[in-house]
Amino acid sequence: MALNQQTKEQLQKVSTATLCTALFKRGLRNQFIQDVRPLDPNKGNMVGEAFTLRYIPAREDLNPISVFQDRAHPQRKAVEECPPGAVMVIDSRKDARAASAGSILVSRLMVRGVAGVVTDGGFRDSPEIARLEIPAYHNRPSAPTNLTLHQALDINVPIGCGDVAVFPGDVIVGDGEGVIVIPAHLADEIAKEATEMTAFEDFVTEEVLKGRSILGLYPPTDEQSKVDFEAWRAKTGR
């Protein structure tokens, strides 16, 4: 199921926090990738379908530096095959002692039109990656080459990233707080609900900053709160 444009636009305007709540209502409580942070929290939302790369622990006899000369090396192959508009999600087993990738590979993803890159490990050249025009998320900087600890094995298979199951085609959303994984079949309805929730939360924030109590307002159990919200929507066009 391809991500439609309206859903993508909606997801670009909502927070991972709001998306977590919408998924929680459906019984999905483990969709926020743990211990992964944006290199540049000021970039806009990252939205795209997951394209995955899986690492296993490196075995020294299989991972000399010469493996990068192989044009079919899974890491290099994944960088060249990740579709434009997708988000590359890397399973590094939550091990940031060696890099998942560096600035050259992330630059290549950027110029190919990839929407973002996520690892539960670390990136080398992280200051340079932070300056690129592509959202990137990791656990922490890591200078050692990936071959030190990681062996790239599988491309576009189900993986785990930061304790979250990620299936190819799942919808990945990142913001200044982190990254959430939305099952593909739920993306449209989650995006719509999150858009509605965001409008209400913006209304509530305005009211609270004016001094209004949250009781009866959040959640809106008082009839007056519901009336006030509808009046606010009519006024703001939200």
Side-chain angles (χ1 to χ4, degrees), residues 37-76:
R37 304 163 187 86
L39 275 74
D40 178 3
N42 297 313
K43 284 187 171 65
N45 275 20
M46 171 187 73
V47 181
E49 294 173 284
F51 181 90
T52 66
L53 172 64
R54 183 171 77 94
Y55 286 129
I56 64 170
R59 203 177 78 185
E60 289 79 359
D61 62 325
L62 297 176
N63 284 274
I65 196 72
S66 59
V67 298
F68 286 147
Q69 297 173 12
D70 181 1
R71 296 171 70 94
H73 184 272
Q75 185 204 49
R76 269 36 181 185

Side-chain angles (χ1 to χ4, degrees), residues 149-175:
L149 288 167
H150 304 307
Q151 179 172 333
L153 195 69
D154 290 320
I155 299 173
N156 223 27
V157 297
I159 62 169
C161 186
D163 295 323
V164 179
V166 183
F167 290 82
D170 280 347
V171 177
I172 309 297
V173 180
D175 65 3

